[in-house]
PDB file of all heavy atoms in Angstrom:
ATOM      1  N   SER F 270     -10.576  37.627 -12.402  1.00 94.00           N
ATOM      2  CA  SER F 270     -11.320  36.336 -12.561  1.00 94.00           C
ATOM      3  C   SER F 270     -11.878  35.947 -11.152  1.00 94.00           C
ATOM      4  O   SER F 270     -13.042  35.499 -11.146  1.00 94.00           O
ATOM      5  CB  SER F 270     -10.322  35.278 -13.060  1.00 94.00           C
ATOM      6  OG  SER F 270     -11.016  34.092 -13.169  1.00 94.00           O
ATOM      7  N   PHE F 271     -11.090  36.023 -10.053  1.00 94.00           N
ATOM      8  CA  PHE F 271     -11.587  35.653  -8.797  1.00 94.00           C
ATOM      9  C   PHE F 271     -12.618  36.597  -8.266  1.00 94.00           C
ATOM     10  O   PHE F 271     -13.512  36.174  -7.572  1.00 94.00           O
ATOM     11  CB  PHE F 271     -10.430  35.499  -7.828  1.00 94.00           C
ATOM     12  CG  PHE F 271      -9.706  34.218  -7.903  1.00 94.00           C
ATOM     13  CD1 PHE F 271      -8.663  34.048  -8.815  1.00 94.00           C
ATOM     14  CD2 PHE F 271     -10.064  33.148  -7.055  1.00 94.00           C
ATOM     15  CE1 PHE F 271      -8.012  32.854  -8.935  1.00 94.00           C
ATOM     16  CE2 PHE F 271      -9.313  31.959  -7.172  1.00 94.00           C
ATOM     17  CZ  PHE F 271      -8.311  31.815  -8.145  1.00 94.00           C
ATOM     18  N   ALA F 272     -12.503  37.899  -8.594  1.00 94.00           N
ATOM     19  CA  ALA F 272     -13.476  38.822  -8.181  1.00 94.00           C
ATOM     20  C   ALA F 272     -14.843  38.551  -8.871  1.00 94.00           C
ATOM     21  O   ALA F 272     -15.909  38.660  -8.260  1.00 94.00           O
ATOM     22  CB  ALA F 272     -12.964  40.260  -8.451  1.00 94.00           C
ATOM     23  N   LEU F 273     -14.797  38.286 -10.115  1.00 94.00           N
ATOM     24  CA  LEU F 273     -16.042  37.986 -10.912  1.00 94.00           C
ATOM     25  C   LEU F 273     -16.675  36.662 -10.397  1.00 94.00           C
ATOM     26  O   LEU F 273     -17.897  36.474 -10.620  1.00 94.00           O
ATOM     27  CB  LEU F 273     -15.703  37.860 -12.485  1.00 94.00           C
ATOM     28  CG  LEU F 273     -15.329  39.161 -13.201  1.00 94.00           C
ATOM     29  CD1 LEU F 273     -14.934  38.872 -14.586  1.00 94.00           C
ATOM     30  CD2 LEU F 273     -16.587  40.106 -13.161  1.00 94.00           C
ATOM     31  N   ALA F 274     -15.902  35.793  -9.838  1.00 92.00           N
ATOM     32  CA  ALA F 274     -16.549  34.506  -9.264  1.00 92.00           C
ATOM     33  C   ALA F 274     -17.188  34.884  -8.019  1.00 92.00           C
ATOM     34  O   ALA F 274     -17.899  33.888  -7.423  1.00 92.00           O
ATOM     35  CB  ALA F 274     -15.352  33.492  -9.102  1.00 92.00           C
ATOM     36  N   ARG F 275     -17.063  35.986  -7.357  1.00 91.00           N
ATOM     37  CA  ARG F 275     -17.701  36.376  -6.116  1.00 91.00           C
ATOM     38  C   ARG F 275     -18.977  37.006  -6.426  1.00 91.00           C
ATOM     39  O   ARG F 275     -19.111  38.097  -6.980  1.00 91.00           O
ATOM     40  CB  ARG F 275     -16.743  37.238  -5.263  1.00 91.00           C
ATOM     41  CG  ARG F 275     -15.442  36.712  -4.952  1.00 91.00           C
ATOM     42  CD  ARG F 275     -15.574  35.895  -3.586  1.00 91.00           C
ATOM     43  NE  ARG F 275     -15.643  36.834  -2.524  1.00 91.00           N
ATOM     44  CZ  ARG F 275     -14.643  37.330  -1.753  1.00 91.00           C
ATOM     45  NH1 ARG F 275     -13.382  37.012  -2.112  1.00 91.00           N
ATOM     46  NH2 ARG F 275     -14.837  38.181  -0.857  1.00 91.00           N
ATOM     47  N   GLU F 276     -20.050  36.390  -5.931  1.00 92.00           N
ATOM     48  CA  GLU F 276     -21.417  36.895  -6.177  1.00 92.00           C
ATOM     49  C   GLU F 276     -21.599  38.314  -5.724  1.00 92.00           C
ATOM     50  O   GLU F 276     -22.292  39.182  -6.420  1.00 92.00           O
ATOM     51  CB  GLU F 276     -22.490  36.019  -5.521  1.00 92.00           C
ATOM     52  CG  GLU F 276     -23.905  36.305  -5.854  1.00 92.00           C
ATOM     53  CD  GLU F 276     -24.838  35.291  -5.288  1.00 92.00           C
ATOM     54  OE1 GLU F 276     -24.430  34.218  -4.796  1.00 92.00           O
ATOM     55  OE2 GLU F 276     -26.098  35.592  -5.314  1.00 92.00           O
ATOM     56  N   GLU F 277     -20.985  38.669  -4.568  1.00 92.00           N
ATOM     57  CA  GLU F 277     -21.229  40.028  -4.006  1.00 92.00           C
ATOM     58  C   GLU F 277     -20.447  41.094  -4.764  1.00 92.00           C
ATOM     59  O   GLU F 277     -20.692  42.285  -4.516  1.00 92.00           O
ATOM     60  CB  GLU F 277     -20.921  40.017  -2.539  1.00 92.00           C
ATOM     61  CG  GLU F 277     -19.435  40.094  -2.224  1.00 92.00           C
ATOM     62  CD  GLU F 277     -18.793  38.663  -2.171  1.00 92.00           C
ATOM     63  OE1 GLU F 277     -19.356  37.724  -2.755  1.00 92.00           O
ATOM     64  OE2 GLU F 277     -17.740  38.469  -1.556  1.00 92.00           O
ATOM     65  N   LEU F 278     -19.548  40.686  -5.547  1.00 93.00           N
ATOM     66  CA  LEU F 278     -18.720  41.633  -6.310  1.00 93.00           C
ATOM     67  C   LEU F 278     -18.954  41.688  -7.843  1.00 93.00           C
ATOM     68  O   LEU F 278     -18.744  42.708  -8.519  1.00 93.00           O
ATOM     69  CB  LEU F 278     -17.157  41.325  -6.089  1.00 93.00           C
ATOM     70  CG  LEU F 278     -16.697  41.306  -4.728  1.00 93.00           C
ATOM     71  CD1 LEU F 278     -15.222  40.829  -4.680  1.00 93.00           C
ATOM     72  CD2 LEU F 278     -16.747  42.644  -4.109  1.00 93.00           C
ATOM     73  N   ARG F 279     -19.522  40.592  -8.385  1.00 92.00           N
ATOM     74  CA  ARG F 279     -19.638  40.407  -9.785  1.00 92.00           C
ATOM     75  C   ARG F 279     -20.367  41.555 -10.559  1.00 92.00           C
ATOM     76  O   ARG F 279     -19.772  42.130 -11.481  1.00 92.00           O
ATOM     77  CB  ARG F 279     -20.326  39.127 -10.042  1.00 92.00           C
ATOM     78  CG  ARG F 279     -20.418  38.724 -11.541  1.00 92.00           C
ATOM     79  CD  ARG F 279     -21.202  37.457 -11.749  1.00 92.00           C
ATOM     80  NE  ARG F 279     -20.684  36.340 -10.988  1.00 92.00           N
ATOM     81  CZ  ARG F 279     -21.395  35.653 -10.008  1.00 92.00           C
ATOM     82  NH1 ARG F 279     -22.703  35.979  -9.858  1.00 92.00           N
ATOM     83  NH2 ARG F 279     -20.844  34.723  -9.372  1.00 92.00           N
ATOM     84  N   ASP F 280     -21.538  41.895 -10.097  1.00 92.00           N
ATOM     85  CA  ASP F 280     -22.344  42.886 -10.878  1.00 92.00           C
ATOM     86  C   ASP F 280     -21.672  44.221 -10.971  1.00 92.00           C
ATOM     87  O   ASP F 280     -21.577  44.822 -12.046  1.00 92.00           O
ATOM     88  CB  ASP F 280     -23.690  43.048 -10.228  1.00 92.00           C
ATOM     89  CG  ASP F 280     -24.607  41.749 -10.407  1.00 92.00           C
ATOM     90  OD1 ASP F 280     -24.229  40.897 -11.202  1.00 92.00           O
ATOM     91  OD2 ASP F 280     -25.608  41.691  -9.718  1.00 92.00           O
ATOM     92  N   GLU F 281     -21.116  44.735  -9.859  1.00 92.00           N
ATOM     93  CA  GLU F 281     -20.579  46.050  -9.807  1.00 92.00           C
ATOM     94  C   GLU F 281     -19.275  46.055 -10.618  1.00 92.00           C
ATOM     95  O   GLU F 281     -18.961  46.983 -11.343  1.00 92.00           O
ATOM     96  CB  GLU F 281     -20.322  46.459  -8.369  1.00 92.00           C
ATOM     97  CG  GLU F 281     -19.822  47.884  -8.183  1.00 92.00           C
ATOM     98  CD  GLU F 281     -19.635  48.297  -6.703  1.00 92.00           C
ATOM     99  OE1 GLU F 281     -20.106  47.515  -5.886  1.00 92.00           O
ATOM    100  OE2 GLU F 281     -19.104  49.376  -6.508  1.00 92.00           O
ATOM    101  N   LEU F 282     -18.497  44.999 -10.533  1.00 93.00           N
ATOM    102  CA  LEU F 282     -17.278  44.898 -11.330  1.00 93.00           C
ATOM    103  C   LEU F 282     -17.550  44.805 -12.778  1.00 93.00           C
ATOM    104  O   LEU F 282     -16.877  45.484 -13.603  1.00 93.00           O
ATOM    105  CB  LEU F 282     -16.421  43.731 -10.875  1.00 93.00           C
ATOM    106  CG  LEU F 282     -15.062  43.477 -11.536  1.00 93.00           C
ATOM    107  CD1 LEU F 282     -14.219  44.788 -11.364  1.00 93.00           C
ATOM    108  CD2 LEU F 282     -14.321  42.317 -10.987  1.00 93.00           C
ATOM    109  N   MET F 283     -18.516  44.025 -13.185  1.00 92.00           N
ATOM    110  CA  MET F 283     -18.864  43.803 -14.600  1.00 92.00           C
ATOM    111  C   MET F 283     -19.313  45.190 -15.180  1.00 92.00           C
ATOM    112  O   MET F 283     -18.977  45.470 -16.283  1.00 92.00           O
ATOM    113  CB  MET F 283     -19.998  42.769 -14.775  1.00 92.00           C
ATOM    114  CG  MET F 283     -19.430  41.360 -14.942  1.00 92.00           C
ATOM    115  SD  MET F 283     -18.137  41.133 -16.284  1.00 92.00           S
ATOM    116  CE  MET F 283     -19.014  41.725 -17.688  1.00 92.00           C
ATOM    117  N   GLN F 284     -20.096  45.944 -14.409  1.00 91.00           N
ATOM    118  CA  GLN F 284     -20.575  47.202 -14.819  1.00 91.00           C
ATOM    119  C   GLN F 284     -19.402  48.091 -15.163  1.00 91.00           C
ATOM    120  O   GLN F 284     -19.333  48.777 -16.075  1.00 91.00           O
ATOM    121  CB  GLN F 284     -21.511  47.852 -13.733  1.00 91.00           C
ATOM    122  CG  GLN F 284     -22.037  49.182 -14.187  1.00 91.00           C
ATOM    123  CD  GLN F 284     -22.949  49.779 -13.128  1.00 91.00           C
ATOM    124  OE1 GLN F 284     -23.374  49.126 -12.248  1.00 91.00           O
ATOM    125  NE2 GLN F 284     -23.199  51.044 -13.125  1.00 91.00           N
ATOM    126  N   TYR F 285     -18.378  48.045 -14.225  1.00 91.00           N
ATOM    127  CA  TYR F 285     -17.184  48.934 -14.430  1.00 91.00           C
ATOM    128  C   TYR F 285     -16.420  48.532 -15.590  1.00 91.00           C
ATOM    129  O   TYR F 285     -15.943  49.334 -16.338  1.00 91.00           O
ATOM    130  CB  TYR F 285     -16.338  48.878 -13.132  1.00 91.00           C
ATOM    131  CG  TYR F 285     -15.086  49.622 -13.270  1.00 91.00           C
ATOM    132  CD1 TYR F 285     -15.089  51.044 -13.369  1.00 91.00           C
ATOM    133  CD2 TYR F 285     -13.820  48.995 -13.313  1.00 91.00           C
ATOM    134  CE1 TYR F 285     -13.901  51.747 -13.434  1.00 91.00           C
ATOM    135  CE2 TYR F 285     -12.646  49.724 -13.371  1.00 91.00           C
ATOM    136  CZ  TYR F 285     -12.671  51.083 -13.393  1.00 91.00           C
ATOM    137  OH  TYR F 285     -11.522  51.801 -13.616  1.00 91.00           O
ATOM    138  N   ILE F 286     -16.196  47.131 -15.791  1.00 89.00           N
ATOM    139  CA  ILE F 286     -15.501  46.655 -17.034  1.00 89.00           C
ATOM    140  C   ILE F 286     -16.185  47.059 -18.272  1.00 89.00           C
ATOM    141  O   ILE F 286     -15.530  47.449 -19.222  1.00 89.00           O
ATOM    142  CB  ILE F 286     -15.306  45.213 -16.865  1.00 89.00           C
ATOM    143  CG1 ILE F 286     -14.431  44.734 -15.738  1.00 89.00           C
ATOM    144  CG2 ILE F 286     -14.802  44.532 -18.207  1.00 89.00           C
ATOM    145  CD1 ILE F 286     -14.392  43.301 -15.494  1.00 89.00           C
ATOM    146  N   ASN F 287     -17.499  46.979 -18.358  1.00 89.00           N
ATOM    147  CA  ASN F 287     -18.283  47.361 -19.528  1.00 89.00           C
ATOM    148  C   ASN F 287     -18.023  48.856 -19.822  1.00 89.00           C
ATOM    149  O   ASN F 287     -17.959  49.275 -20.872  1.00 89.00           O
ATOM    150  CB  ASN F 287     -19.686  47.031 -19.288  1.00 89.00           C
ATOM    151  CG  ASN F 287     -19.957  45.508 -19.412  1.00 89.00           C
ATOM    152  OD1 ASN F 287     -19.097  44.745 -19.967  1.00 89.00           O
ATOM    153  ND2 ASN F 287     -20.993  45.070 -18.735  1.00 89.00           N
ATOM    154  N   GLU F 288     -18.081  49.674 -18.684  1.00 86.00           N
ATOM    155  CA  GLU F 288     -17.891  51.132 -18.824  1.00 86.00           C
ATOM    156  C   GLU F 288     -16.585  51.456 -19.513  1.00 86.00           C
ATOM    157  O   GLU F 288     -16.436  52.284 -20.331  1.00 86.00           O
ATOM    158  CB  GLU F 288     -18.088  51.817 -17.594  1.00 86.00           C
ATOM    159  CG  GLU F 288     -19.542  51.810 -17.073  1.00 86.00           C
ATOM    160  CD  GLU F 288     -19.691  52.433 -15.610  1.00 86.00           C
ATOM    161  OE1 GLU F 288     -18.565  52.778 -15.052  1.00 86.00           O
ATOM    162  OE2 GLU F 288     -20.764  52.547 -15.199  1.00 86.00           O
ATOM    163  N   ILE F 289     -15.524  50.770 -19.014  1.00 85.00           N
ATOM    164  CA  ILE F 289     -14.138  51.000 -19.461  1.00 85.00           C
ATOM    165  C   ILE F 289     -14.103  50.592 -20.986  1.00 85.00           C
ATOM    166  O   ILE F 289     -13.524  51.280 -21.850  1.00 85.00           O
ATOM    167  CB  ILE F 289     -13.145  50.153 -18.733  1.00 85.00           C
ATOM    168  CG1 ILE F 289     -13.032  50.763 -17.286  1.00 85.00           C
ATOM    169  CG2 ILE F 289     -11.778  50.220 -19.388  1.00 85.00           C
ATOM    170  CD1 ILE F 289     -12.119  49.910 -16.439  1.00 85.00           C
TER     171      ILE F 289
END
Side-chain angles (χ1 to χ4, degrees):
S270 181
F271 278 84
L273 288 175
R275 297 271 289 269
E276 187 175 349
E277 75 275 20
L278 300 174
R279 185 184 305 121
D280 291 345
E281 189 173 349
L282 182 57
M283 273 306 306
Q284 181 181 344
Y285 178 66
I286 291 172
N287 290 333
E288 288 173 358
I289 292 176

